[in-house]
Each structure stands twice: as C-alpha cells, then as structure tokens.
C-alpha cells in the first residue's frame, strides 16, 4: 500500500481541486447548487482573486482548457495583447533594454475578467450574480489570509508606503500587514462587483447581462479607472517612474477567444495544451523527445533524461515560440525532428542553450537569451522566473529572490480544475494582476498586470513586443484524453517550471500503479519533484543558470549523487518545495471522478463527493 499526504478523492457527483481551500469549497458549493463545472470554475476563480491577491487578480490573465461532455477540447485564451502604443521603439526611447517587471509599462490589455465571463456565458448555467456571490462575500466580510499574503506585503512595505500608497491603504491598514487570526477585507473590490451588477441589472436575460458586464469592463467605469491608473507615472523595477501605454481604445478593442488546442499523442494518451503563444507545447515537445522505452521511473537515468529533454524544449521555446511570428509547431513535434534532437542527449549535463532547426529553418535567439554560460552568472543573484510560494522570498533556490524596495518582485500563479457529474471538465491557470505588480486602482480594489515583461525589446523575434500581439505566457493548464475521451485535467503555478512539474506529475500518474481502480493522482502529486533554470527566465530580469537542477531533499540521495557525477549543478531544496499541482480525473467507463491537490505551501485542497 502506498501512503500519501492525503487520499485521492473519489466520487460520482463532482470534484474540484485548486490552490486555495476557499476557492475549492466555493466552486463545490456551486456544484451542489446545481451548477456545472464551468459555473463552479468561474465562481472559484473570482474567489481566488480575493484570497490569493498576491498570486492573481481580475486585471491579470488566464489560460483555460475546457472539455464539454460529448464535445471537443477547446482553449479559451484570456491573455490580453500589447497595447497599440507598446512598441519596441517607445520602450527603447525610454532607455530600457528589458520591459520592467512591475508598473504600468508592463501591463498588457487585461484578459482574465473577459475570459471568465465568456466561459460563463457560453458554457455555464448560473447568473453573474450567483457566481460572484462568494467572492463578494469574502471581499466584503473578510477572510483569514494565508501567511504568504502578509509575507508578500511585508516584502514590499517600503514601496507601498513611499510610492504605491493606494496599495498601502488596502494591504497595510494602520501599518499592519495581513496576518492569520485577522480578517482581510477588500471593500473596494466588493463595491466594484456590486456596482457592476447594479449597472447591468436591466440588460435582459442571463447571457445579455453577462455581455453587458463585459462592456462595462471594456468601456464603462472599470475601463475608465484602469486607463487613469495606467497613465499615472509609477515607480517600477527600472528604478524610475513610468506611465503605461494602455488606452480606452485598447480595452474596447480586445475580447477573449476560443482556439483549437495543440495536441500530441503519447503511449495511448492525447495531451492538449494551449498553442505556442504560450509555453504549453514545451510539454508536448518533452513527450515527443522521450524514447519508446523510457528509463525506470525515479532513477538517475530517468531524471537526467527529463532534465536534458527539458533544456532542448525550452531552447526551442526561446527561438521559436511567440505570437509575433508563425511558429513551426508541426515540425517541432515531428518524429524526424525529435529523432535528431534525441541524439543530442548524452551522459553528461549540457550547459548550452541549443535550439533546433525545424524544417531546416535557422534559429534566432534574442541578444539577451543568447548570452553564453560564461556571462549568465551575472544574473544569478537577480533571480529566475516566478517563484513557487512554498518557501519564503529569501530562499536561496533560484527563482525566489529577496524583494527589492524598487518593486523588484515576483508574483506567482493559481490553478483550478473541476469535473462535474455530466462529464464536463475544465483546467485553468489564472495569474497576473497580483498585489505586487502595480499599485491598486483605488476605485476598483485591484491592480493592473505585468505580462508584457515576457516580451523582448528587439525587433523581428517571435516574442518581440508587438502592438496587438500576445506576450508569450507561461500559463499552461492541461487536459489529457484516452481513446478520445477526456480523462485528466491538471496544472500548477510556477512560471517557467509549470511544464516541468506537470510533465513529472503526468508521467508519474501514467507510468506508476493505479489506486482503487483509478489513477493515483495524489501519489503523483506527492512524488518528489524538481526543475531546472538552464534557459532565460520569462520574468524580469530574465536570468538563467546553465546546468542547474533544483531537487526536493526527499529525492533519493543516490540519485542526487549520480546527477552531480554527470555534471548537473544540483541545488537541494526543502522537502516539499517543488510545485503546487492540482488534478481532477474521470473514468469514462465507470463515471468515477477523482481529485488530488498539492500539500506544498499548505493552501491547495481538493473537495468532492
């Protein structure tokens, strides 16, 4: 019998897994009230804005994968585009060589709100008032905040008190940061949603009212407040005050949209991801790089292979992924291409960034990404990517730098999965618009996002800053099918680590023994995890650590020793520090539903019956 931190939940009515227990339970309450998976996901998402404000917000972004019962898997893109004024020339004219990691210059058109409402309109059954009810209640009446909210606020206390004073008013009332045992309220956010509901009350039926709310976001009082905030010069990670480029026309012109997923067939599974405007196909490329008979799960050979394959896939991400150019995804996933790439993996750890040449095309990296291993070390102290929130901000593990007073900070991300009794399934990764990204818009109770920091200030690259194009996002939820039937929805926060931790989880679930007749979801979540930072990070200051591997101390000591012998620069982190995975599953043959959630960070929970 395999012991896990929690059981893999099983039932037939409905299952929810998310990165915060209040979001999970709120989504479950909507299922109990007769709602479907999409109603539940929207309700849970708006609660996540309230209870994990250091990880996401309404003006951030979200990538959603949905699998309607009897229908095809679709991607709902809630990643907004660069504003019309967000040109390379404008940012270069300000003396910048990277998009700042904070402040309004880093703000794309907000995407999360519109995507959630489009999902509710097209696939839900509940009214807007019903799905907002839990979020309004927690914002108005308060909730006990998790410790990481207060720790994040403390890390930017000086910035809030001296520069971002609207944020200090909300998160440092009386000079005290939020803490356990005290209720955290956001009355401005509750008032925003109440006013939204009041202004759309006469719009007609359920769908008409949702569309009216989307218009208020684009051109009403919410849009007006967002544009005013974007125009205010704001201290950012450059150490200077800059105004943003977001305008009323930018907000009015954009809406969320559906797309077909990128897919790859592996060992009887079909994995669905968002397209190469996200990093999602990195997961698929790693599957394509696997040999027909992978090494035994958990061995040094296994970990070494996955680390080296990840480096190759991430190198291709840097050279080929983005929304500003056509991406040769079919070639990147082709058997011929991956057979050649597979031969690059040897017995020793690689310290090079080695993009391939799909279809004979010559790869091109940004000047920043093309730095050699010899010069990359200067970026180590600045940090790499979005951190996992399982550890304090002073952790030595890459990606978790100490926060600077100039706003040099990172947020993280949330995740939410739902499956209902009818077989509808959704996986979503909301992020951005976190409290440390931009000052709180005082009239609204939430800040703008910073996703433009993922673009390059260099013309002609797939991920160049380009008006009307999406910054390449790290948000990467997953849905996996067996024999054409959706079986598994999963994902994790973690920036560049998302498609590393998810792959390790998926392979653990697919290659290890089942439990109680279904996938051992909790065992796969609990399994010791790891990641590498041997490529340019997606988040300011875009650092890299060639040859690095960070592992949990629960990994077998013999495996760690063998990785070091093979040349990997191994950092041993805390025993429960890698990833914040969530997952739900459905057995099409029996109708049995399953769920599991991550114990790391002591926030994520699965619920169901």
């Amino acid at each position: 019998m395999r012991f896990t931190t929690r059981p893999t939940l099983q039932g037939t009515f409905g299952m929810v897994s998310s990165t915060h227990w209040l979001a999970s339970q709120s989504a479950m309450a909507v299922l109990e009230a007769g709602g479907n998976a999409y109603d539940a996901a929207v309700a849970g998402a708006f609660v996540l804005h309230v209870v994990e404000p250091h990880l996401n917000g309404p003006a951030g972004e979200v990538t959603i994968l949905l699998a309607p019962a009897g229908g095809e898997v679709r991607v709902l893109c809630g990643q907004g585009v660069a504003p019309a004024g967000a040109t390379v020339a404008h940012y270069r004219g300000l003396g910048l060589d990277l998009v700042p990691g904070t402040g309004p210059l880093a703000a794309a058109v907000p995407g999360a709100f519109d995507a959630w409402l489009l999902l509710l309109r097209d696939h839900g059954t509940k009214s807007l008032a019903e799905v907002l009810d839990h979020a309004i209640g927690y914002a108005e009446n308060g909730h006990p905040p998790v410790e990481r909210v207060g720790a994040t606020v403390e890390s930017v206390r000086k910035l809030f008190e001296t520069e971002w004073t609207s944020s200090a008013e909300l998160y440092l009332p009386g000079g005290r940061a939020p803490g356990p045992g005290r209720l955290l309220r956001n009355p401005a956010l509750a008032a925003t949603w109440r006013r939204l509901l009041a202004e759309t009350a006469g719009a007609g039926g359920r769908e008409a009212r949702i569309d009216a709310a989307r218009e208020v976001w684009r051109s009403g009082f919410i849009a007006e407040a967002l544009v005013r905030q974007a125009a205010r010069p704001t201290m950012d990670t450059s150490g200077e005050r800059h105004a943003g480029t977001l305008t009323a026309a930018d907000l009015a012109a954009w809406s969320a949209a559906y797309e077909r997923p990128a897919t790859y067939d592996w060992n009887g599974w079909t994995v669905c991801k968002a397209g190469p405007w996200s990093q999602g196909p990195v997961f698929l490329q790693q599957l394509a790089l696997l040999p027909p008979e992978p090494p035994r799960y958990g061995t040094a050979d296994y970990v070494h292979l996955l680390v080296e394959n990840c480096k190759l896939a991430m190198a291709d991400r840097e050279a080929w992924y983005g929304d500003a150019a056509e991406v040769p995804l079919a070639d990147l996933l082709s058997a011929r291409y991956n057979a050649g790439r597979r031969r690059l993996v040897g017995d020793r750890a690689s310290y090079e960034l080695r993009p391939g040449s799909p279809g004979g095309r010559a790869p091109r990296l940004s000047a920043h990404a093309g730095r050699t291993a010899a010069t990359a070390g200067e970026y180590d102290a600045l940090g790499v990517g979005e951190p996992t929130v399982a550890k304090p901000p002073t952790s030595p593990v890459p990606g978790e730098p100490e926060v600077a007073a100039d706003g040099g900070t990172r947020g993280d991300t949330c995740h939410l999965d739902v499956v209902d009794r009818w077989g509808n399934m959704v996986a979503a990764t909301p992020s951005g618009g976190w409290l440390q990204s931009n000052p709180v818009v005082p009239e609204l109770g939430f800040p703008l996002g910073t996703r433009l920091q993922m673009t390059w200030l260099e013309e002609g690259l797939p991920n160049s800053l380009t008006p009307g194009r999406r910054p390449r996002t790290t948000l990467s939820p997953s849905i996996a099918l067996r024999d054409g039937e959706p079986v598994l929805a999963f994902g994790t926060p973690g920036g560049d680590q998302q498609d590393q931790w998810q792959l390790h989880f998926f392979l653990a679930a697919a290659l290890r023994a089942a439990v109680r007749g279904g996938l051992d979801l909790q065992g796969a979540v609990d399994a010791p995890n790891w990641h590498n930072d041997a490529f340019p990070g997606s988040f300011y200051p875009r650092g890299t650590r060639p040859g690095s591997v960070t592992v949990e101390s629960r990994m077998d000591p013999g495996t760690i020793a063998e990785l070091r012998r093979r040349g990997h620069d191994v950092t041993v982190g805390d025993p429960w520090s890698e990833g914040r995975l969530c997952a739900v599953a459905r057995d099409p043959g029996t109708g049995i539903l399953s769920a599991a959630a991550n114990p790391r960070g002591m926030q994520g929970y699965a619920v169901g019956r």
Side-chain angles (χ1 to χ4, degrees), residues 63 75 259-262 273-281 321 329 472-473:
T63 303
V75 177
E259 301 177 358
R260 295 180 64 86
K273 302 289 287 187
W277 53 267
S278 76
Q279 75 171 6
Y321 289 23
L329 187 57
R472 188 191 66 215
T473 182

Side-chain angles (χ1 to χ4, degrees), residues 351-412:
Y351 278 62
E352 300 176 76
L353 192 66
R354 299 180 290 178
S357 300
R361 302 167 182 85
R364 180 186 164 197
L365 295 169
S366 71
H368 187 95
R371 289 178 181 271
T372 66
T375 60
E378 67 189 78
Y379 289 92
D380 288 358
L382 296 175
V384 180
E386 279 182 306
T388 157
V389 297
K391 288 187 277 187
T394 52
S395 167
V397 176
E400 302 180 18
E402 189 166 358
V403 180
D406 66 358
T409 179
R410 252 49 98 248
D412 199 354

Side-chain angles (χ1 to χ4, degrees), residues 139-163:
E140 200 165 58
N141 302 319
H143 68 280
V146 295
E147 292 181 5
R148 289 297 299 142
V149 175
T152 302
V153 172
E154 285 291 354
S155 72
V156 287
R157 173 184 284 273
K158 182 178 178 181
L159 177 70
F160 280 15
E161 292 178 336
T162 59
E163 296 283 346

